[in-house]
Amino acid sequence: MNRLCQSSYGSLEAVINFAGCDGNPERQLVHFYRDRISGTWSKVDVISTKPSSGGSIIQNCAKRDRHQNHGDFEVLVLEEDGLMKHYTRDNTVSVDSGDYAWKLSAVVNEGLHPQYGQVVVCDAAPLYQMKLSTNSPSQGYSMETVLLAKTGDALNYRCHQSSDGEKQIRYHWKFVSRIMKGATGPVCLYQDSNDDLRALVPVSDGIAEFNRWGFGTWNRIRSIENASGPACTYRPNPSDISLVHAVVRHEGNLSVKTNMRTENKASQRLWLDCSVQLPPSLEKLYRSDHHKEGGGIPMAIISQSTFALGHSPNVEAIVFHPCGTGWQDRWMVLHWSCLAATSEWMVSGVVLAEVKGMPM
């Protein structure tokens, strides 16, 4: 899942599932943002009051109005009964209008599938948007996700959106195909080129990578060895879109893998250990026996922005840190930055100073 995005406002946007927001003891999925001027993090609004997973957030490239300056925010989150809900915040609405809130737009796995029946989702899902090529049968953009069903099926769904600036944004999710059976964790999506969509799927012996060209079929192409999923990906150099780093779990630690091509032809298609790893304070997150770590990966990363004005030039991340050595299951959420000039990681801010129970 992608809990973090950089918006056209110049701010970082994050969605976090935790208990205790505004005194509510139940878990809620909450939207946070980081002000680009002050650098402080603030709570914006509650998205879901019944989340069963962490959420994924993007800013929509398709505009509901030709004069819209900032695309809407879109979020996927798993709720009760195994349903993956899609929420939207309309960014054409004024903050002062009283209607500036998150609203349910669709249920991804609603209804019965003719082959798979009722798809019951058991974990978080990614949300990814890609621009359709001029050679595709449709124009505009498509939002993509992969649902992890209780049966172990990794199922690809798509929500097509045209780019003609209609007032009504279309939120109709359709099943595309099954990527594989036997998935063990949430899938990560990224693009290797304009028409090449990739999926990193956790399996029993590592992470399997699949690709899909355009509207074609999914094919397994390689694996990330000595790793357990899920993964989160980022590009350390925005000028080289083919270079991708993946943060994965390895023997209880976080490790960085890279798809950098090598001179050794036998290993050109392998994911290798990256020469630049995370600092010790991120590589191994100390926790006591009282810190109950859930599934997923305690880190969300976004790449450097390609926009020069008002956007961060660094790789940005939010990290869930266990805190304290006592009996209470306490955590904090920190904002880290990997500086473009030095490739060094540093703490940039505090998102949540203390929460009970690991955030998702």
Side-chain angles (χ1 to χ4, degrees), residues 17 20 150 164 185 192 201 216 223 234 245 255 282 287 322 358:
N17 175 344
K150 280 191 172 181
D164 55 7
D192 190 59
V201 185
S223 300
Y234 67 99
H245 288 179
S255 175
L282 285 178
R287 61 186 176 92
M358 182 182 178

Side-chain angles (χ1 to χ4, degrees), residues 58-283:
I58 64 168
Q59 185 173 27
N60 203 332
C61 295
K63 303 292 180 65
R64 64 173 66 238
D65 188 294
R66 288 184 176 86
H67 303 290
Q68 183 176 0
N69 294 322
H70 303 283
D72 298 338
F73 293 137
E74 314 285 355
V75 162
L76 289 186
V77 60
L78 177 62
E79 293 189 359
E80 57 190 6
D81 300 324
L83 296 177
M84 187 62 64
K85 301 289 185 69
H86 176 180
Y87 289 89
T88 299
R89 198 185 79 176
D90 181 352
N91 283 336
T92 66
V93 177
S94 169
V95 178
D96 302 324
S97 68
D99 198 29
Y100 193 65
W102 289 88
K103 295 183 179 180
L104 180 66
S105 295
V107 179
V108 179
N109 54 324
E110 190 173 33
L112 297 177
H113 186 273
Q115 180 177 352
Y116 301 105
Q118 178 62 56
V119 175
V120 179
V121 183
C122 64
D123 214 325
L127 180 57
Y128 192 86
Q129 187 171 41
M130 57 188 298
K131 183 175 177 61
L132 303 178
S133 71
T134 55
N135 297 325
S136 67
S138 302
Q139 299 298 311
Y141 298 87
S142 73
M143 288 189 287
E144 305 273 345
T145 190
V146 179
L147 305 186
L148 176 62
K150 280 191 172 181
T151 56
D153 292 311
L155 306 174
N156 179 205
Y157 286 75
R158 176 187 299 126
C159 178
H160 173 253
Q161 296 185 303
S162 67
S163 57
D164 55 7
E166 297 176 0
K167 183 62 179 176
Q168 291 296 323
I169 289 285
R170 289 72 48 211
Y171 296 111
H172 181 57
W173 287 89
K174 292 184 178 181
F175 172 79
V176 179
S177 63
R178 183 176 74 174
I179 298 178
M180 69 167 295
K181 186 175 180 64
T184 59
V187 176
C188 174
L189 294 175
Y190 75 97
Q191 275 183 276
D192 190 59
S193 63
N194 288 339
D195 295 321
D196 187 6
L197 184 62
R198 301 291 180 96
L200 298 177
V201 185
V203 292
S204 59
D205 59 348
I207 299 177
E209 183 174 15
F210 293 77
N211 80 324
R212 190 197 75 199
W213 283 96
F215 287 83
T217 58
W218 288 95
N219 298 291
R220 184 167 180 170
I221 55 174
R222 55 185 174 180
S223 300
I224 303 180
E225 300 177 347
N226 300 319
S228 60
C232 60
T233 61
Y234 67 99
R235 287 184 168 83
N237 182 358
S239 64
D240 184 1
I241 63 171
S242 65
L243 178 61
V244 177
H245 288 179
V247 177
V248 299
R249 289 182 180 272
H250 176 57
E251 296 180 350
N253 295 341
L254 297 182
S255 175
V256 183
K257 303 286 185 176
T258 180
N259 68 348
M260 180 183 294
R261 295 188 177 274
T262 67
E263 295 180 359
N264 182 359
K265 293 184 178 180
S267 63
Q268 275 189 353
R269 297 188 61 80
L270 296 178
W271 284 83
L272 306 173
D273 288 328
C274 185
S275 59
V276 179
Q277 291 291 321
L278 298 171
S281 53
L282 285 178
E283 182 179 300

